[in-house]
Amino acid sequence: DGGITQSPKYLFRKEGQNVTLSCEQNLNHDAMYWYRQDPGQGLRLIYYSQIVNDFQKGDIAEGYSVSREKKESFPLTVTSAQKNPTAFYLCASSIGGAHSNQPQHFGDGTRLSIL
Amino acid sequence: GESVGLHLPTLSVQEGDNSIINCAYSNSASDYFIWYKQESGKGPQFIIDIRSNMDKRQGQRVTVLLNKTVKHLSLQIAATQPGDSAVYFCAENYDSWGKLQFGAGTQVVVTP
């Protein structure tokens, strides 16, 4: 089945530790996105990538980093500089391209908590 | 599973009734809008979309209405079922590269 796979489903971070969240898609989509979701709020964009080897900061990129070495993979690293990392992280992908007006499709998220 | 919307507006609907979920969007230049459904502990699921050159679009049991004059979007669910209980988000496409701006969401609770 085509889709987006996020792993792990639950992740715990110790103080001062970097952790990496995995996102893989087999939809052959060019564009990929990372969002953060906090209770009572909508999704906020962390980073996005329109094409392999290129990515841009979203609205809340501080304390996060990404890479896009392969079309199907867009891992997110939550660094120790992110002081409030506890949240639900969602990865999405879309066909991409300018003016494409296509929906983003989401994985089932990773819930990150502080130990 | 854990709730993803602890303090969201809540719409209580009796099973079998029609639901209407409203959303005000912010950017008059937005040209594409999407409704998503999110169940507890899962990612948002695409329901229906609409482009700004349309006022209405229908899917299976769902209808989206767009009023560009007042920047308002609504989702109507016909004959609401227990499986429709979830948080519903609207999203607007605010740039030409597909970036979306999400609303805070509405919790829909279907009662028997």
Side-chain angles (χ1 to χ4, degrees):
Chain A
D1 287 348
I4 301 174
T5 301
Q6 290 187 242
S7 62
K9 190 170 178 64
Y10 299 96
L11 187 58
F12 298 91
R13 196 192 87 169
K14 296 179 181 179
E15 293 289 340
Q17 186 181 42
N18 293 351
V19 291
T20 297
L21 284 60
S22 171
C23 178
E24 303 278 331
Q25 55 99 358
N26 61 4
L27 299 167
N28 199 33
H29 285 171
D30 283 319
M32 296 187 75
Y33 310 81
W34 274 106
Y35 293 90
R36 171 181 171 136
Q37 187 174 36
D38 293 282
Q41 297 188 36
L43 282 64
R44 292 184 291 166
L45 183 65
I46 305 172
Y47 267 97
Y48 64 104
S49 168
Q50 297 290 349
I51 198 167
V52 175
N53 292 322
D54 188 39
F55 50 83
Q56 287 81 40
K57 293 182 179 180
D59 301 320
I60 55 165
E62 186 175 350
Y64 301 97
S65 66
V66 293
S67 63
R68 186 83 188 278
E69 297 177 2
K70 298 186 295 183
K71 186 176 185 177
E72 60 270 22
S73 179
F74 191 39
L76 173 74
T77 296
V78 183
T79 74
S80 57
Q82 172 49 244
K83 299 306 179 187
N84 184 24
T86 297
F88 191 49
Y89 290 87
L90 288 158
C91 178
S93 72
S94 67
I95 290 174
H99 310 289
S100 61
N101 280 345
Q102 294 291 331
Q104 294 178 18
H105 299 274
F106 286 83
D108 274 339
T110 292
R111 188 164 297 281
L112 176 62
S113 302
I114 291 289
L115 282 179
Chain B
E2 294 182 54
S3 168
V4 297
L6 296 179
H7 303 289
L8 294 173
T10 300
L11 175 67
S12 292
V13 183
Q14 195 155 17
E15 182 178 355
D17 288 350
N18 296 336
S19 305
I20 299 176
I21 307 164
N22 295 304
C23 176
Y25 64 92
S26 57
N27 191 338
S28 57
S30 294
D31 62 356
Y32 177 61
F33 305 87
I34 309 171
W35 279 101
Y36 286 95
K37 171 187 179 183
Q38 187 176 27
E39 296 174 320
S40 184
K42 294 189 175 182
Q45 176 186 0
F46 170 82
I47 302 173
I48 192 168
D49 57 4
I50 188 168
R51 289 171 172 72
S52 59
N53 60 355
M54 303 172 69
D55 297 323
K56 179 180 179 178
R57 190 167 187 222
Q58 289 184 289
Q60 186 177 8
R61 272 199 318 119
V62 294
T63 300
V64 55
L65 299 177
L66 175 63
N67 185 331
K68 295 180 287 294
T69 302
V70 295
K71 293 190 288 185
H72 184 267
L73 195 66
S74 68
L75 178 70
Q76 301 176 1
I77 305 174
T80 311
Q81 303 170 0
D84 295 327
S85 292
V87 176
Y88 289 81
F89 293 97
C90 65
E92 61 182 298
N93 181 344
Y94 67 95
D95 79 354
S96 60
W97 290 95
K99 283 162 60 181
L100 297 177
Q101 182 75 40
F102 285 82
T106 297
Q107 176 85 54
V108 172
V109 177
V110 181
T111 56

